[in-house]
Amino acid sequence: MKRLVLFLISILIGASITWSQTIRKEIVLPHLQDYITLKCDFHMHTVFSDGNVWPTTRVEEAWAEGLDAISITDHLEYTPHKDYVPVNHEAPFDIARNLAKQRNLILIKGIEITKSMPPGHFNVLFVKEAIPIFNEDYKLALREAKNQGAFVIWNHPGWRAQAPDGPVWMKEHQELYEENLFQGVEVANFDEWYPEVLDWAIEKKLTVFSNSDIHEPMDMYLSANNLDRRPITLVFACESSEEGIREALFARRTAGWFNNYLFARKEILESLLFASIKVNKISGDEKSVSYKVENLTDFQFDFVLEHEPARKINLPVRSSTIITLPANRMDGILMVQNWLHGADIPLKTELTKLFR
Amino acid sequence: MKRLVLFLISILIGASITWSQTIRKEIVLPHLQDYITLKCDFHMHTVFSDGNVWPTTRVEEAWAEGLDAISITDHLEYTPHKDYVPVNHEAPFDIARNLAKQRNLILIKGIEITKSMPPGHFNVLFVKEAIPIFNEDYKLALREAKNQGAFVIWNHPGWRAQAPDGPVWMKEHQELYEENLFQGVEVANFDEWYPEVLDWAIEKKLTVFSNSDIHEPMDMYLSANNLDRRPITLVFACESSEEGIREALFARRTAGWFNNYLFARKEILESLLFASIKVNKISGDEKSVSYKVENLTDFQFDFVLEHEPARKINLPVRSSTIITLPANRMDGILMVQNWLHGADIPLKTELTKLFR
Amino acid sequence: MKRLVLFLISILIGASITWSQTIRKEIVLPHLQDYITLKCDFHMHTVFSDGNVWPTTRVEEAWAEGLDAISITDHLEYTPHKDYVPVNHEAPFDIARNLAKQRNLILIKGIEITKSMPPGHFNVLFVKEAIPIFNEDYKLALREAKNQGAFVIWNHPGWRAQAPDGPVWMKEHQELYEENLFQGVEVANFDEWYPEVLDWAIEKKLTVFSNSDIHEPMDMYLSANNLDRRPITLVFACESSEEGIREALFARRTAGWFNNYLFARKEILESLLFASIKVNKISGDEKSVSYKVENLTDFQFDFVLEHEPARKINLPVRSSTIITLPANRMDGILMVQNWLHGADIPLKTELTKLFR
Amino acid sequence: MKRLVLFLISILIGASITWSQTIRKEIVLPHLQDYITLKCDFHMHTVFSDGNVWPTTRVEEAWAEGLDAISITDHLEYTPHKDYVPVNHEAPFDIARNLAKQRNLILIKGIEITKSMPPGHFNVLFVKEAIPIFNEDYKLALREAKNQGAFVIWNHPGWRAQAPDGPVWMKEHQELYEENLFQGVEVANFDEWYPEVLDWAIEKKLTVFSNSDIHEPMDMYLSANNLDRRPITLVFACESSEEGIREALFARRTAGWFNNYLFARKEILESLLFASIKVNKISGDEKSVSYKVENLTDFQFDFVLEHEPARKINLPVRSSTIITLPANRMDGILMVQNWLHGADIPLKTELTKLFR
């Protein structure tokens, strides 16, 4: 009997820690009326530049975290492991594509053009061939990217190593912009975000990105920082495919999701809000009315009523709260303090649009 | 400036730990085709018998945990705090009802008839008046409950203090059963469940319950045991109201949810399964087909394919996995090992019903 | 066999959630050279005033959380449950004392004098008889407390309900202070702390307190706020006894521990720091030297080097980090930003005192 | 002001997720009377065989998790990434050694001899030169390892891919054993342990190991499995150095620590127990005596009193409990059910040795 119990115990120990990387934690977010919401990360590295993981690991990580699409964007100009790993700009995509297919994860071929500031670093998505883009002259490099039909992102404009005084829109960037050599910009990267760059993106009609730029294993970063989630770019696409993502990026239908902040154009934020929050009246008389306000999503909301700024309402994932309002104050304004469509412009909406 | 920073820090400290008991963590479960799913706990105590919290705390706890209905069921015959708290069987309901109304939580008036075994303890729900039920003769007590139109549950038939050799269906229980003096039975209570009792419930057409029987603060119990959730009785009701619950209890439309196990009649388990799992084909050829299997709920599934018993598939809350099957084995049987409709009868379903 | 497996499963389920409130999570803190460090909370409520738990629950909670001493301090003048629970100011202590003895927890008899501002609320510790302290005239009440040899704390001087513009030291407080009718003050209470009050405490030689003032079950508060720990008053006593605590309180040997902040006199903070941190040289040459800096405790440190203010070093519980310094900068100053001996005065110490 | 607040918010966001891989979580374990306790993992892979991380990542992971020593043991005979990463058996050590030195982590040069069963896989530690060990004939390979003064471990004898019916000590193993071509054996590997192998190790005087054999990023494995800690080999050494570890391995002073189980010789378990548990009498009379039993360590204990087998006492990390014994039963036996010195032999000790 002792042996049997022990046998069962050893079975159970085994069972309890079975390798379960084949489990994917889904991220619950609403789709928009005409678009599906894809969770994407368009900036990451592997041993083929200065990253520390094998390309398939980037697929496993993204799939397990609930992402729908990634791009591996190893540096063209910076390959510090080359004494041990021969330079090969096609390798990351070639190695990872099969696993991505099995996992139903969209893998977009990318590379990072890596120049000093100005103009800094640029991610090239939907690359056809990496080598021709490798060029000492950054303008020629970006023109070749354009020739290949690529979508180009200006990366981390506020990275301290290149922008010690904060992000600066230099004449070089203006030239590239005027020639339409980049179409998007990272408002958030790794562990920081740049308020000014959100303003640029809105004003200059650049597509907003929030990317991880991860070099280490992702879980090492998440657990060391007690984070639930990497920086994510939400893409609102007509279909879940590489082509769907391409169309949405050029059409600027994205939002940056970083550490509970959401950055996007006002219309996008509004649509997401209405699809994320459910409000039911639960009681009321002529003096006051009580509503149950429910967050159906994995977003987390920091609400404030404009006429009562001290009353903060933090609504975590899939939770609800009860809000009681004077019967005559239904004309109030609700602010979502962590959803921004400008450096210091939180989303506002009339209560009456939500409470009905 | 120092002062300003300090002021801001002190604001932030305050903000970060604001008393947020007004946040409710929603439990995401599917409704059935014709019934809504209510999360209930019909067994708990307060300072008015041998519990250690005030009645309003039971409402706050249940609301915050995402429950829809509770019954406070203090002992009629056991009131150890009476030197300090005068015996008052109406008090728990009277004290808690207002807060329950504000929170939109259904509060069902209940008491616990507390006899030695046989026949043990019985919860009386939908009590009209508690005092007349207080009777040394348990049969008279239960007849009065019946007179009041109450629903009666035999509590914890396997509680070791009263049933050291496991649950026994004695002649006294048979008599009460034949006279229809109880209609339900606890298959799970506090920290244990009784496989045999599940068989009784199915065979004798008793309503299945899983209740907390909590005496301490609920969070003390949950955090000391690293649990996410108390034992819960799911009620499948026509409407979210006391009357809706009463009708469902008498119609035996419940499931016991205990520590990731679900106990119910087969039809109920099957309906819940189909509403909880979403399957999409993601790839396939003539040899094999791959499916994404997604758990849309806060249930947690332990799947096994009958023809491949070593291949356990644990699917946590709101996660998914990929299952690849030989193209010619679509006729297999899927077992949900932690969903039982008998002591050792897990739910089985044909794969073809899920994969389409 | 099926039955056996099921039986084993049910055993295991049971085992995994056994009621384990008899487990105490120890808090690892250093003792001082001549004093032992006691973890205390001198402010909490039960159903005998406006709290929601039974007195024994306060003992169980404190013991399980690793505390050494508590005082239950129900309001003398505010007893909203009196329709159901007759007013009885001796009851909380009488009910809780036996369990406290079994748990080896020091239980200090206390009550809260509850007046509007001025002068506000005052906790009376080491009460002999509660009734005589009940007096409409707060000065007479406090004089009776003094007659009984009690130690008196001015509670939450910055509580917004009584101090909407922040803490104010009024002439009434000055009078009480001059008559030595209170000896301590809460710098932190429940979910807030008052920077100005820390300055008062240091300047006027009042004993510093950080108390929970908890009304709900403690775990409800902690889990709703994702906190590890309630506000705690550390007492540095000659012995672990009621008398040891009394002596230490009158001698002002305390620190307030609130949400990773520590408030105390400079000498106390310094002694604690040297006993909490262990530094070992791990490598070095003529240019730079590397040290392993280890936190041996459950404190959490936010360090900054004064000459390099951007370099923040957060050292969580029982963790270590490596600090590399220029060989010629060993004369620097280390600031512990979350350990304060004044509203905006973090503890500073010379590096050379630590690195040796 | 808005801008200021926003600026401060952005600072804070940044601060809260600063890359903190330079924090090391210490593992609190006792040293033995004459030996220091080193936490080690002697089996892991990188991109230079079939692993998915860069060698420096193995150092960062181990250091952050509180380990003192590791060995990277890439397969000699299995290098599936060779189309992209040229075979180089010296590379992992060469690449990782500098970072290991900065982190004060002992890095032991190792490789894995990878043969089909019999005899299976063998880790070679303290390798001088890897190439000469590469030999089709496993016996010649192991003789070369011996020539280099290496310590050799038989890896995962119960790995299902090679031992579908459980671990078997074949004649080939007997020959190697008699020629002293291996000195240690893995009792635990990755996610399983082998009870029979523990018996072998004790009987045949082989050194006990518990190693991770990790191929993926370690945090991906830990977070996917909700584990706090990888499999660890505790080494009881005279000094914290490579030479100290070598001496201890040959002297069989190790313990395997796997998923709360500890495997070792009886004397080692006993010494660790006495150094881990602190017992104080807190009260007593002629009938019964109460003791506070405190776990000072990061071990977790599952105790049972032999004369009262139903009374399980689970003592988590740095927690305590109160045990009350009849005054006349101090002669009882305490079993540590999760500390084993044989497949089904838990450590037993007389209570009187602990309670004093």
Side-chain angles (χ1 to χ4, degrees):
Chain A
M1 181 60 187
K2 262 189 190 168
R3 288 229 163 242
L4 173 63
V5 169
L6 206 75
F7 167 76
L8 283 159
I9 286 171
S10 70
I11 293 287
L12 287 162
I13 294 174
S16 69
I17 61 162
T18 299
W19 176 243
S20 66
Q21 192 50 30
T22 50
I23 291 299
R24 170 179 165 96
K25 195 176 158 192
E26 296 288 343
I27 303 174
V28 179
L29 296 182
H31 296 299
L32 297 189
Q33 196 147 12
D34 299 315
Y35 304 105
I36 54 174
T37 301
L38 301 175
K39 303 118 203 166
C40 311
D41 181 3
F42 298 113
H43 194 166
M44 62 192 68
H45 297 275
T46 75
V47 297
F48 288 93
S49 64
D50 56 347
N52 287 321
V53 305
W54 195 244
T56 51
T57 294
R58 294 295 177 219
V59 174
E60 287 290 17
E61 290 172 341
W63 184 79
E65 289 171 56
L67 269 68
D68 300 304
I70 62 169
S71 183
I72 298 174
T73 53
D74 276 310
H75 299 287
L76 265 186
E77 293 90 345
Y78 184 56
T79 48
H81 298 160
K82 62 176 168 287
D83 290 350
Y84 298 97
V85 181
V87 172
N88 181 341
H89 297 305
E90 311 291 332
F93 185 77
D94 290 349
I95 291 170
R97 76 200 309 179
N98 255 346
L99 183 66
K101 202 176 163 195
Q102 285 169 41
R103 295 280 185 261
N104 206 30
L105 185 91
I106 301 167
L107 180 68
I108 290 164
K109 190 168 176 180
I111 52 94
E112 184 169 16
I113 296 173
T114 310
K115 305 294 184 190
S116 55
M117 183 70 84
H121 297 193
F122 291 81
N123 267 0
V124 183
L125 307 184
F126 313 105
V127 165
K128 286 192 178 121
E129 236 184 313
I131 297 297
I133 301 174
F134 194 165
N135 198 312
E136 292 231 343
D137 181 327
Y138 65 80
K139 214 175 266 186
L140 296 180
L142 288 169
R143 280 182 190 147
E144 169 60 22
K146 194 176 180 182
N147 282 344
Q148 294 191 14
F151 184 96
V152 176
I153 308 164
W154 179 14
N155 295 339
H156 46 69
W159 182 33
R160 274 160 224 191
Q162 289 198 333
D165 305 318
V168 182
W169 185 274
M170 300 180 177
K171 71 171 172 27
E172 288 82 355
H173 301 113
Q174 183 62 26
E175 284 169 22
L176 298 177
Y177 174 70
E178 286 174 5
E179 200 179 330
N180 189 24
L181 291 177
F182 69 101
Q183 299 80 31
V185 69
E186 283 183 347
V187 171
N189 173 287
F190 193 53
D191 67 352
E192 56 186 9
W193 74 277
Y194 321 108
E196 314 84 320
V197 176
L198 177 56
D199 282 339
W200 295 351
I202 301 294
E203 290 158 21
K204 298 173 198 293
K205 297 192 188 300
L206 292 165
T207 306
V208 165
F209 287 86
S210 166
N211 292 328
S212 75
D213 200 359
I214 189 78
H215 290 68
E216 304 301 322
M218 183 56 77
D219 285 299
M220 185 188 276
Y221 164 71
L222 296 177
S223 66
N225 292 291
N226 288 317
L227 291 177
D228 290 331
R229 191 164 291 131
R230 68 169 89 191
I232 283 178
T233 301
L234 300 179
V235 174
F236 308 101
C238 300
E239 57 171 48
S240 179
S241 69
E242 178 171 336
E243 194 42 46
I245 289 173
R246 173 199 288 272
E247 187 276 334
L249 294 191
F250 279 105
R252 297 192 296 123
R253 289 196 311 275
T254 67
W257 191 21
F258 173 77
N259 211 19
N260 287 330
Y261 276 68
L262 201 71
F263 316 117
R265 290 148 44 197
K266 188 178 182 191
E267 317 82 81
I268 288 175
L269 294 181
E270 249 175 0
S271 301
L272 280 176
L273 181 67
F274 293 140
S276 300
I277 296 289
K278 185 173 116 188
V279 180
N280 290 318
K281 181 174 169 180
I282 57 174
S283 66
D285 54 25
E286 65 271 18
K287 282 188 193 154
S288 68
V289 192
S290 287
Y291 298 89
K292 178 178 174 187
V293 181
E294 183 174 348
N295 175 6
L296 304 167
T297 74
D298 276 336
F299 290 129
Q300 177 253 305
F301 293 93
D302 295 333
F303 290 131
V304 167
L305 296 172
E306 201 179 37
H307 67 280
E308 217 179 331
R311 186 166 157 203
K312 293 176 193 312
I313 303 161
N314 176 278
L315 205 56
V317 302
R318 280 179 306 283
S319 68
S320 61
T321 192
I322 294 172
I323 297 183
T324 301
L325 295 171
N328 60 351
R329 279 309 297 265
M330 301 304 298
D331 57 333
I333 300 290
L334 184 78
M335 298 201 296
V336 189
Q337 294 202 294
N338 58 331
W339 282 28
L340 304 178
H341 54 92
D344 50 7
I345 316 178
L347 179 66
K348 295 181 188 186
T349 189
E350 292 167 48
L351 278 174
T352 48
K353 289 192 182 170
L354 282 166
F355 298 156
R356 50 198 153 182
Chain B
M1 181 59 185
K2 262 190 190 165
R3 289 233 162 236
L4 174 63
V5 169
L6 205 76
F7 166 76
L8 284 160
I9 287 172
S10 69
I11 292 287
L12 287 162
I13 295 174
S16 69
I17 61 162
T18 298
W19 176 243
S20 66
Q21 191 50 32
T22 49
I23 292 299
R24 169 180 166 96
K25 194 175 158 193
E26 295 290 342
I27 302 174
V28 179
L29 297 182
H31 296 299
L32 297 189
Q33 194 148 12
D34 300 314
Y35 304 106
I36 54 174
T37 300
L38 301 175
K39 302 119 203 166
C40 310
D41 181 3
F42 297 112
H43 194 166
M44 62 192 66
H45 298 275
T46 74
V47 296
F48 288 95
S49 63
D50 58 345
N52 287 321
V53 306
W54 195 245
T56 50
T57 294
R58 293 296 177 218
V59 173
E60 287 289 18
E61 289 172 341
W63 184 79
E65 288 171 56
L67 271 66
D68 299 305
I70 62 169
S71 184
I72 299 174
T73 54
D74 276 311
H75 299 287
L76 265 185
E77 293 90 345
Y78 184 57
T79 48
H81 299 160
K82 62 175 169 285
D83 290 350
Y84 297 98
V85 181
V87 173
N88 181 341
H89 297 304
E90 311 292 332
F93 185 78
D94 291 349
I95 291 169
R97 78 200 306 178
N98 255 347
L99 183 66
K101 202 178 164 193
Q102 285 169 39
R103 293 281 184 263
N104 205 30
L105 186 91
I106 300 168
L107 180 69
I108 290 164
K109 190 168 176 179
I111 52 93
E112 184 170 16
I113 296 174
T114 310
K115 306 295 183 188
S116 56
M117 183 71 85
H121 296 193
F122 290 81
N123 266 1
V124 184
L125 306 183
F126 312 106
V127 165
K128 286 192 178 123
E129 233 183 315
I131 297 299
I133 300 175
F134 194 166
N135 197 311
E136 292 230 343
D137 181 328
Y138 65 81
K139 213 174 268 185
L140 296 182
L142 289 169
R143 282 183 189 148
E144 171 59 23
K146 194 175 180 182
N147 283 343
Q148 294 191 15
F151 184 96
V152 176
I153 307 164
W154 180 13
N155 295 340
H156 45 69
W159 182 34
R160 275 161 224 189
Q162 289 197 332
D165 305 318
V168 183
W169 183 275
M170 299 179 178
K171 72 172 173 25
E172 288 83 354
H173 302 113
Q174 184 62 26
E175 284 172 19
L176 298 178
Y177 175 69
E178 287 174 3
E179 201 180 329
N180 191 23
L181 291 178
F182 69 99
Q183 299 81 33
V185 68
E186 283 183 347
V187 170
N189 172 288
F190 192 53
D191 66 353
E192 57 188 8
W193 74 277
Y194 321 109
E196 313 86 319
V197 178
L198 177 57
D199 282 339
W200 296 350
I202 301 294
E203 289 159 21
K204 298 173 197 292
K205 299 193 185 299
L206 292 166
T207 307
V208 166
F209 287 85
S210 167
N211 292 326
S212 76
D213 201 359
I214 189 78
H215 289 69
E216 303 302 322
M218 182 58 75
D219 284 301
M220 184 188 277
Y221 164 72
L222 297 176
S223 67
N225 292 289
N226 289 316
L227 291 176
D228 289 332
R229 191 163 292 129
R230 68 168 89 189
I232 283 178
T233 301
L234 299 180
V235 175
F236 308 101
C238 301
E239 57 170 49
S240 180
S241 69
E242 178 171 335
E243 196 41 45
I245 290 174
R246 173 200 288 271
E247 188 274 336
L249 294 192
F250 279 105
R252 298 190 297 122
R253 289 197 312 275
T254 67
W257 192 20
F258 173 76
N259 211 19
N260 286 332
Y261 277 69
L262 201 71
F263 316 117
R265 290 150 43 195
K266 190 178 182 193
E267 316 84 78
I268 288 175
L269 295 182
E270 250 177 358
S271 302
L272 281 176
L273 181 68
F274 294 140
S276 300
I277 296 290
K278 186 173 116 188
V279 179
N280 289 319
K281 183 174 168 179
I282 57 175
S283 66
D285 53 26
E286 63 271 17
K287 281 190 197 154
S288 68
V289 192
S290 288
Y291 298 89
K292 178 178 175 186
V293 182
E294 182 173 351
N295 174 6
L296 304 166
T297 75
D298 276 336
F299 289 128
Q300 177 252 305
F301 293 93
D302 295 335
F303 289 132
V304 167
L305 296 171
E306 203 180 35
H307 66 281
E308 218 180 331
R311 187 167 157 202
K312 295 177 191 312
I313 303 160
N314 176 279
L315 204 56
V317 302
R318 279 179 306 282
S319 68
S320 61
T321 192
I322 293 172
I323 297 183
T324 301
L325 295 171
N328 60 351
R329 278 310 297 262
M330 301 304 297
D331 56 333
I333 301 290
L334 184 77
M335 297 201 295
V336 190
Q337 294 201 294
N338 58 331
W339 282 28
L340 304 177
H341 55 92
D344 50 7
I345 316 176
L347 179 66
K348 295 180 187 185
T349 189
E350 292 167 48
L351 279 174
T352 49
K353 289 193 182 169
L354 283 166
F355 298 157
R356 49 198 155 181
Chain C
M1 180 63 187
K2 261 188 188 166
R3 287 233 163 238
L4 172 62
V5 169
L6 206 75
F7 166 76
L8 283 160
I9 287 171
S10 69
I11 292 286
L12 287 162
I13 294 174
S16 70
I17 62 161
T18 299
W19 176 242
S20 66
Q21 191 51 29
T22 49
I23 292 299
R24 168 178 166 96
K25 196 175 157 193
E26 295 289 342
I27 303 173
V28 179
L29 297 182
H31 296 299
L32 298 190
Q33 195 150 11
D34 300 314
Y35 304 106
I36 55 175
T37 300
L38 301 175
K39 303 116 200 169
C40 311
D41 182 2
F42 298 111
H43 194 165
M44 61 191 68
H45 297 274
T46 75
V47 297
F48 288 94
S49 65
D50 58 345
N52 287 322
V53 306
W54 195 245
T56 51
T57 295
R58 293 298 177 216
V59 174
E60 286 290 18
E61 291 171 340
W63 185 78
E65 289 170 57
L67 270 68
D68 300 304
I70 62 169
S71 183
I72 300 175
T73 52
D74 276 311
H75 300 286
L76 266 184
E77 293 90 346
Y78 184 57
T79 48
H81 298 159
K82 61 176 171 284
D83 290 351
Y84 297 97
V85 181
V87 173
N88 182 342
H89 297 304
E90 312 291 333
F93 185 78
D94 291 349
I95 290 170
R97 75 199 310 179
N98 255 346
L99 183 66
K101 202 177 163 194
Q102 284 169 43
R103 293 280 185 264
N104 205 29
L105 186 92
I106 300 168
L107 180 68
I108 289 164
K109 190 168 176 180
I111 53 92
E112 184 170 16
I113 297 174
T114 311
K115 306 296 183 188
S116 55
M117 185 71 86
H121 296 194
F122 291 81
N123 266 0
V124 183
L125 307 183
F126 312 104
V127 165
K128 287 194 178 119
E129 235 186 314
I131 297 299
I133 301 175
F134 193 166
N135 198 313
E136 294 231 341
D137 181 329
Y138 65 81
K139 214 174 268 187
L140 296 181
L142 289 170
R143 282 181 189 149
E144 170 59 23
K146 194 175 179 183
N147 282 343
Q148 294 191 14
F151 184 95
V152 177
I153 307 164
W154 179 13
N155 295 339
H156 46 67
W159 182 33
R160 275 161 222 189
Q162 290 197 332
D165 304 320
V168 182
W169 185 275
M170 301 181 178
K171 71 169 171 27
E172 288 82 356
H173 302 112
Q174 183 62 26
E175 284 170 21
L176 298 177
Y177 174 70
E178 288 174 2
E179 199 179 331
N180 190 24
L181 291 177
F182 69 101
Q183 298 81 32
V185 68
E186 284 183 346
V187 170
N189 172 289
F190 194 53
D191 67 351
E192 56 187 9
W193 73 276
Y194 320 109
E196 313 86 319
V197 177
L198 177 57
D199 282 339
W200 296 349
I202 301 294
E203 291 158 21
K204 298 173 198 291
K205 299 192 185 300
L206 291 166
T207 307
V208 166
F209 287 85
S210 166
N211 292 327
S212 76
D213 201 358
I214 190 76
H215 290 68
E216 303 302 322
M218 181 58 75
D219 284 301
M220 184 187 276
Y221 163 72
L222 296 176
S223 66
N225 292 290
N226 288 318
L227 291 177
D228 290 330
R229 192 163 291 129
R230 69 170 86 188
I232 283 179
T233 301
L234 300 179
V235 175
F236 308 101
C238 301
E239 57 170 48
S240 180
S241 69
E242 179 172 335
E243 195 42 45
I245 291 174
R246 174 201 287 271
E247 187 274 337
L249 294 192
F250 278 106
R252 296 192 299 122
R253 289 198 310 275
T254 67
W257 191 21
F258 173 77
N259 213 19
N260 286 330
Y261 277 69
L262 199 72
F263 316 117
R265 290 148 43 197
K266 189 178 182 193
E267 315 85 78
I268 289 175
L269 295 181
E270 251 177 359
S271 301
L272 281 175
L273 181 68
F274 294 139
S276 299
I277 296 290
K278 185 173 116 189
V279 179
N280 289 317
K281 183 173 167 178
I282 57 175
S283 66
D285 52 25
E286 65 270 17
K287 280 191 195 153
S288 67
V289 191
S290 287
Y291 298 90
K292 179 178 176 187
V293 182
E294 183 173 350
N295 174 5
L296 303 167
T297 74
D298 275 338
F299 289 129
Q300 177 253 307
F301 294 93
D302 295 335
F303 290 131
V304 167
L305 296 171
E306 203 179 36
H307 67 280
E308 217 181 331
R311 185 166 158 205
K312 293 178 194 309
I313 303 161
N314 176 279
L315 203 57
V317 301
R318 279 180 304 284
S319 68
S320 60
T321 193
I322 293 172
I323 297 184
T324 301
L325 294 172
N328 60 351
R329 278 310 296 263
M330 300 304 298
D331 57 331
I333 300 289
L334 185 78
M335 298 201 295
V336 189
Q337 294 202 294
N338 58 330
W339 281 28
L340 305 177
H341 55 92
D344 49 8
I345 316 177
L347 179 66
K348 295 182 188 185
T349 189
E350 292 167 49
L351 278 174
T352 48
K353 289 193 184 169
L354 282 166
F355 297 157
R356 51 195 152 183
Chain D
M1 179 62 185
K2 262 188 190 168
R3 288 231 164 238
L4 173 62
V5 169
L6 206 75
F7 166 75
L8 283 159
I9 287 171
S10 69
I11 292 286
L12 287 162
I13 294 174
S16 70
I17 61 161
T18 298
W19 175 243
S20 65
Q21 193 50 29
T22 49
I23 291 299
R24 168 179 167 96
K25 195 176 157 191
E26 295 290 342
I27 303 174
V28 179
L29 297 183
H31 296 300
L32 297 189
Q33 196 148 10
D34 298 314
Y35 304 106
I36 55 174
T37 300
L38 300 176
K39 304 116 202 170
C40 310
D41 181 4
F42 298 111
H43 194 165
M44 61 191 66
H45 297 275
T46 74
V47 297
F48 288 93
S49 65
D50 58 345
N52 287 321
V53 307
W54 195 244
T56 51
T57 294
R58 293 295 176 219
V59 174
E60 287 289 18
E61 291 172 339
W63 183 79
E65 290 171 56
L67 270 67
D68 300 303
I70 62 169
S71 182
I72 299 175
T73 53
D74 276 312
H75 300 286
L76 266 184
E77 293 90 345
Y78 184 56
T79 48
H81 298 159
K82 62 177 170 284
D83 290 350
Y84 298 97
V85 181
V87 173
N88 182 340
H89 296 304
E90 312 291 333
F93 184 79
D94 290 349
I95 291 170
R97 75 199 312 178
N98 256 347
L99 184 65
K101 202 178 163 195
Q102 284 170 41
R103 292 280 184 265
N104 205 30
L105 186 92
I106 300 167
L107 180 69
I108 290 165
K109 190 167 175 179
I111 53 92
E112 184 170 16
I113 297 174
T114 310
K115 306 296 183 189
S116 56
M117 182 71 84
H121 296 194
F122 291 80
N123 266 0
V124 183
L125 307 183
F126 312 106
V127 165
K128 287 194 178 120
E129 233 184 315
I131 297 297
I133 302 176
F134 194 165
N135 198 311
E136 292 231 341
D137 181 327
Y138 64 81
K139 213 174 270 188
L140 296 181
L142 289 168
R143 283 183 189 148
E144 169 61 21
K146 195 175 177 182
N147 282 344
Q148 295 192 13
F151 184 96
V152 176
I153 307 165
W154 179 12
N155 295 339
H156 45 68
W159 181 33
R160 274 161 225 189
Q162 289 198 333
D165 305 319
V168 182
W169 185 275
M170 300 179 177
K171 70 171 172 28
E172 289 82 356
H173 302 112
Q174 182 63 25
E175 284 170 20
L176 298 177
Y177 175 70
E178 288 173 4
E179 201 180 329
N180 190 24
L181 291 177
F182 69 100
Q183 299 80 32
V185 68
E186 283 184 348
V187 171
N189 173 287
F190 193 53
D191 67 351
E192 56 188 8
W193 75 276
Y194 321 109
E196 313 85 320
V197 178
L198 178 56
D199 282 339
W200 296 350
I202 301 294
E203 290 158 21
K204 298 173 198 291
K205 298 193 186 299
L206 292 165
T207 306
V208 166
F209 286 85
S210 167
N211 291 327
S212 75
D213 201 359
I214 190 77
H215 289 68
E216 304 301 322
M218 181 58 75
D219 284 299
M220 185 188 274
Y221 163 71
L222 296 177
S223 67
N225 292 290
N226 288 317
L227 291 177
D228 290 331
R229 191 164 291 130
R230 69 168 86 188
I232 283 178
T233 301
L234 300 180
V235 175
F236 308 101
C238 299
E239 57 169 49
S240 180
S241 68
E242 180 172 335
E243 195 41 46
I245 290 173
R246 174 200 288 270
E247 187 275 335
L249 294 191
F250 278 104
R252 296 191 299 122
R253 289 198 311 275
T254 67
W257 190 22
F258 173 76
N259 212 20
N260 287 330
Y261 277 69
L262 200 71
F263 316 117
R265 289 150 44 198
K266 189 178 181 192
E267 315 83 80
I268 288 175
L269 295 181
E270 250 176 0
S271 300
L272 280 176
L273 181 68
F274 293 140
S276 299
I277 296 290
K278 184 173 119 188
V279 179
N280 290 317
K281 183 174 167 180
I282 57 175
S283 65
D285 53 27
E286 66 271 16
K287 283 189 196 156
S288 67
V289 190
S290 287
Y291 297 89
K292 179 179 176 187
V293 181
E294 184 172 350
N295 174 5
L296 303 167
T297 74
D298 275 338
F299 289 129
Q300 177 252 305
F301 294 92
D302 294 334
F303 290 131
V304 167
L305 295 172
E306 202 180 36
H307 67 280
E308 219 181 330
R311 187 167 158 205
K312 295 177 193 311
I313 303 161
N314 175 280
L315 204 57
V317 302
R318 281 180 303 284
S319 68
S320 60
T321 192
I322 293 171
I323 297 184
T324 301
L325 295 171
N328 60 350
R329 279 311 294 265
M330 301 303 298
D331 57 332
I333 301 290
L334 184 77
M335 298 200 297
V336 190
Q337 294 202 294
N338 58 331
W339 282 27
L340 304 177
H341 54 92
D344 49 7
I345 316 178
L347 179 66
K348 294 182 189 185
T349 190
E350 291 166 50
L351 279 174
T352 47
K353 289 193 184 169
L354 282 166
F355 296 158
R356 51 199 153 180

